[in-house]
mmCIF file of all heavy atoms in Angstrom:
data_model
loop_
_atom_site.group_PDB
_atom_site.id
_atom_site.type_symbol
_atom_site.label_atom_id
_atom_site.label_comp_id
_atom_site.label_asym_id
_atom_site.label_seq_id
_atom_site.Cartn_x
_atom_site.Cartn_y
_atom_site.Cartn_z
ATOM 1 N N ALA I 49 -2.784 -3.251 -13.353
ATOM 2 C CA ALA I 49 -3.545 -3.177 -14.592
ATOM 3 C C ALA I 49 -2.653 -3.575 -15.764
ATOM 4 O O ALA I 49 -1.424 -3.490 -15.683
ATOM 5 C CB ALA I 49 -4.105 -1.769 -14.810
ATOM 6 N N ILE I 50 -3.314 -3.979 -16.829
ATOM 7 C CA ILE I 50 -2.582 -4.339 -18.040
ATOM 8 C C ILE I 50 -3.331 -3.780 -19.241
ATOM 9 O O ILE I 50 -4.552 -3.922 -19.339
ATOM 10 C CB ILE I 50 -2.402 -5.870 -18.141
ATOM 11 C CG1 ILE I 50 -1.551 -6.236 -19.361
ATOM 12 C CG2 ILE I 50 -3.735 -6.605 -18.114
ATOM 13 C CD1 ILE I 50 -1.073 -7.694 -19.328
ATOM 14 N N GLY I 51 -2.590 -3.125 -20.122
ATOM 15 C CA GLY I 51 -3.206 -2.528 -21.282
ATOM 16 C C GLY I 51 -3.435 -3.531 -22.402
ATOM 17 O O GLY I 51 -3.032 -4.691 -22.321
ATOM 18 N N SER I 52 -4.065 -3.056 -23.456
ATOM 19 C CA SER I 52 -4.355 -3.924 -24.596
ATOM 20 C C SER I 52 -3.073 -4.422 -25.266
ATOM 21 O O SER I 52 -3.063 -5.489 -25.875
ATOM 22 C CB SER I 52 -5.236 -3.196 -25.614
ATOM 23 O OG SER I 52 -4.602 -2.004 -26.046
ATOM 24 N N ALA I 53 -1.995 -3.658 -25.114
ATOM 25 C CA ALA I 53 -0.715 -4.036 -25.696
ATOM 26 C C ALA I 53 0.158 -4.850 -24.741
ATOM 27 O O ALA I 53 1.291 -5.191 -25.080
ATOM 28 C CB ALA I 53 0.044 -2.789 -26.144
ATOM 29 N N GLY I 54 -0.350 -5.116 -23.556
ATOM 30 C CA GLY I 54 0.384 -5.906 -22.581
ATOM 31 C C GLY I 54 1.233 -5.097 -21.622
ATOM 32 O O GLY I 54 1.955 -5.667 -20.804
ATOM 33 N N ASP I 55 1.163 -3.793 -21.718
ATOM 34 C CA ASP I 55 1.907 -2.939 -20.787
ATOM 35 C C ASP I 55 1.255 -2.982 -19.414
ATOM 36 O O ASP I 55 0.034 -2.935 -19.302
ATOM 37 C CB ASP I 55 1.950 -1.512 -21.310
ATOM 38 C CG ASP I 55 0.588 -0.983 -21.677
ATOM 39 O OD1 ASP I 55 -0.142 -1.672 -22.459
ATOM 40 O OD2 ASP I 55 0.192 0.088 -21.185
ATOM 41 N N THR I 56 2.071 -3.067 -18.369
ATOM 42 C CA THR I 56 1.541 -3.273 -17.024
ATOM 43 C C THR I 56 1.823 -2.088 -16.112
ATOM 44 O O THR I 56 2.799 -1.350 -16.292
ATOM 45 C CB THR I 56 2.137 -4.538 -16.397
ATOM 46 O OG1 THR I 56 3.560 -4.429 -16.381
ATOM 47 C CG2 THR I 56 1.728 -5.775 -17.183
ATOM 48 N N THR I 57 0.957 -1.944 -15.135
ATOM 49 C CA THR I 57 1.091 -0.915 -14.106
ATOM 50 C C THR I 57 0.772 -1.557 -12.767
ATOM 51 O O THR I 57 -0.212 -2.306 -12.666
ATOM 52 C CB THR I 57 0.113 0.246 -14.356
ATOM 53 O OG1 THR I 57 0.325 0.772 -15.669
ATOM 54 C CG2 THR I 57 0.307 1.359 -13.343
ATOM 55 N N TYR I 58 1.571 -1.280 -11.755
ATOM 56 C CA TYR I 58 1.341 -1.799 -10.418
ATOM 57 C C TYR I 58 1.217 -0.649 -9.429
ATOM 58 O O TYR I 58 1.789 0.420 -9.624
ATOM 59 C CB TYR I 58 2.478 -2.741 -10.002
ATOM 60 C CG TYR I 58 2.547 -3.990 -10.843
ATOM 61 C CD1 TYR I 58 3.321 -4.022 -11.990
ATOM 62 C CD2 TYR I 58 1.819 -5.121 -10.499
ATOM 63 C CE1 TYR I 58 3.378 -5.169 -12.782
ATOM 64 C CE2 TYR I 58 1.875 -6.273 -11.276
ATOM 65 C CZ TYR I 58 2.647 -6.283 -12.423
ATOM 66 O OH TYR I 58 2.697 -7.418 -13.188
ATOM 67 N N ASP I 59 0.522 -0.937 -8.336
ATOM 68 C CA ASP I 59 0.284 0.111 -7.355
ATOM 69 C C ASP I 59 1.578 0.534 -6.672
ATOM 70 O O ASP I 59 1.896 1.709 -6.627
ATOM 71 C CB ASP I 59 -0.733 -0.389 -6.316
ATOM 72 C CG ASP I 59 -1.000 0.628 -5.235
ATOM 73 O OD1 ASP I 59 -1.015 1.840 -5.546
ATOM 74 O OD2 ASP I 59 -1.191 0.231 -4.085
ATOM 75 N N THR I 60 2.285 -0.405 -6.111
ATOM 76 C CA THR I 60 3.505 -0.081 -5.362
ATOM 77 C C THR I 60 4.614 -1.060 -5.746
ATOM 78 O O THR I 60 4.364 -2.091 -6.367
ATOM 79 C CB THR I 60 3.256 -0.204 -3.850
ATOM 80 O OG1 THR I 60 2.961 -1.583 -3.541
ATOM 81 C CG2 THR I 60 2.104 0.671 -3.398
ATOM 82 N N ASP I 61 5.816 -0.735 -5.324
ATOM 83 C CA ASP I 61 6.937 -1.642 -5.591
ATOM 84 C C ASP I 61 6.742 -2.975 -4.871
ATOM 85 O O ASP I 61 7.143 -4.027 -5.374
ATOM 86 C CB ASP I 61 8.251 -0.998 -5.162
ATOM 87 C CG ASP I 61 8.681 0.131 -6.077
ATOM 88 O OD1 ASP I 61 8.170 0.189 -7.219
ATOM 89 O OD2 ASP I 61 9.517 0.945 -5.654
ATOM 90 N N SER I 62 6.093 -2.912 -3.708
ATOM 91 C CA SER I 62 5.852 -4.145 -2.961
ATOM 92 C C SER I 62 4.915 -5.065 -3.731
ATOM 93 O O SER I 62 5.140 -6.273 -3.803
ATOM 94 C CB SER I 62 5.249 -3.821 -1.593
ATOM 95 O OG SER I 62 4.865 -5.011 -0.934
ATOM 96 N N VAL I 63 3.880 -4.488 -4.292
ATOM 97 C CA VAL I 63 2.954 -5.288 -5.093
ATOM 98 C C VAL I 63 3.668 -5.807 -6.341
ATOM 99 O O VAL I 63 3.534 -6.974 -6.695
ATOM 100 C CB VAL I 63 1.718 -4.448 -5.477
ATOM 101 C CG1 VAL I 63 0.898 -5.154 -6.553
ATOM 102 C CG2 VAL I 63 0.854 -4.184 -4.252
ATOM 103 N N LYS I 64 4.421 -4.961 -6.978
ATOM 104 C CA LYS I 64 5.120 -5.360 -8.205
ATOM 105 C C LYS I 64 6.091 -6.506 -7.955
ATOM 106 O O LYS I 64 6.282 -7.375 -8.809
ATOM 107 C CB LYS I 64 5.872 -4.170 -8.789
ATOM 108 C CG LYS I 64 6.529 -4.442 -10.130
ATOM 109 C CD LYS I 64 7.176 -3.185 -10.676
ATOM 110 C CE LYS I 64 7.792 -3.442 -12.050
ATOM 111 N NZ LYS I 64 8.400 -2.206 -12.602
ATOM 112 N N ALA I 65 6.688 -6.526 -6.787
ATOM 113 C CA ALA I 65 7.655 -7.573 -6.460
ATOM 114 C C ALA I 65 6.976 -8.910 -6.183
ATOM 115 O O ALA I 65 7.609 -9.961 -6.291
ATOM 116 C CB ALA I 65 8.477 -7.159 -5.239
ATOM 117 N N ARG I 66 5.694 -8.895 -5.850
ATOM 118 C CA ARG I 66 5.024 -10.126 -5.427
ATOM 119 C C ARG I 66 3.900 -10.561 -6.367
ATOM 120 O O ARG I 66 3.550 -11.738 -6.413
ATOM 121 C CB ARG I 66 4.451 -9.925 -4.019
ATOM 122 C CG ARG I 66 5.501 -9.621 -2.977
ATOM 123 C CD ARG I 66 4.895 -9.502 -1.580
ATOM 124 N NE ARG I 66 3.960 -8.386 -1.476
ATOM 125 C CZ ARG I 66 2.691 -8.521 -1.117
ATOM 126 N NH1 ARG I 66 2.203 -9.711 -0.823
ATOM 127 N NH2 ARG I 66 1.909 -7.453 -1.031
ATOM 128 N N PHE I 67 3.305 -9.610 -7.069
ATOM 129 C CA PHE I 67 2.152 -9.920 -7.920
ATOM 130 C C PHE I 67 2.516 -9.757 -9.392
ATOM 131 O O PHE I 67 3.337 -8.906 -9.751
ATOM 132 C CB PHE I 67 0.994 -8.975 -7.605
ATOM 133 C CG PHE I 67 0.390 -9.106 -6.238
ATOM 134 C CD1 PHE I 67 0.896 -9.979 -5.275
ATOM 135 C CD2 PHE I 67 -0.707 -8.324 -5.882
ATOM 136 C CE1 PHE I 67 0.327 -10.092 -4.023
ATOM 137 C CE2 PHE I 67 -1.288 -8.416 -4.630
ATOM 138 C CZ PHE I 67 -0.769 -9.292 -3.704
ATOM 139 N N THR I 68 1.855 -10.523 -10.234
ATOM 140 C CA THR I 68 2.037 -10.397 -11.678
ATOM 141 C C THR I 68 0.674 -10.391 -12.360
ATOM 142 O O THR I 68 -0.105 -11.344 -12.208
ATOM 143 C CB THR I 68 2.874 -11.542 -12.247
ATOM 144 O OG1 THR I 68 4.153 -11.572 -11.606
ATOM 145 C CG2 THR I 68 3.083 -11.359 -13.753
ATOM 146 N N VAL I 69 0.400 -9.327 -13.088
ATOM 147 C CA VAL I 69 -0.839 -9.245 -13.863
ATOM 148 C C VAL I 69 -0.540 -9.676 -15.297
ATOM 149 O O VAL I 69 0.499 -9.328 -15.855
ATOM 150 C CB VAL I 69 -1.442 -7.829 -13.805
ATOM 151 C CG1 VAL I 69 -0.506 -6.793 -14.391
ATOM 152 C CG2 VAL I 69 -2.799 -7.797 -14.487
ATOM 153 N N SER I 70 -1.454 -10.450 -15.870
ATOM 154 C CA SER I 70 -1.282 -10.908 -17.247
ATOM 155 C C SER I 70 -2.652 -11.123 -17.871
ATOM 156 O O SER I 70 -3.677 -11.084 -17.173
ATOM 157 C CB SER I 70 -0.456 -12.200 -17.287
ATOM 158 O OG SER I 70 -1.112 -13.241 -16.593
ATOM 159 N N ARG I 71 -2.649 -11.358 -19.152
ATOM 160 C CA ARG I 71 -3.912 -11.603 -19.839
ATOM 161 C C ARG I 71 -3.685 -12.596 -20.966
ATOM 162 O O ARG I 71 -2.588 -12.660 -21.534
ATOM 163 C CB ARG I 71 -4.505 -10.294 -20.380
ATOM 164 C CG ARG I 71 -3.699 -9.631 -21.473
ATOM 165 C CD ARG I 71 -4.161 -8.197 -21.714
ATOM 166 N NE ARG I 71 -5.565 -8.124 -22.094
ATOM 167 C CZ ARG I 71 -6.280 -6.994 -22.067
ATOM 168 N NH1 ARG I 71 -5.722 -5.864 -21.678
ATOM 169 N NH2 ARG I 71 -7.554 -7.008 -22.443
#
Side-chain angles (χ1 to χ4, degrees):
I50 184 167
S52 58
D55 51 308
T56 57
T57 304
Y58 295 90
D59 178 36
T60 64
D61 288 341
S62 173
V63 168
K64 185 176 182 179
R66 299 183 296 122
F67 294 4
T68 302
V69 61
S70 62
R71 66 194 301 164

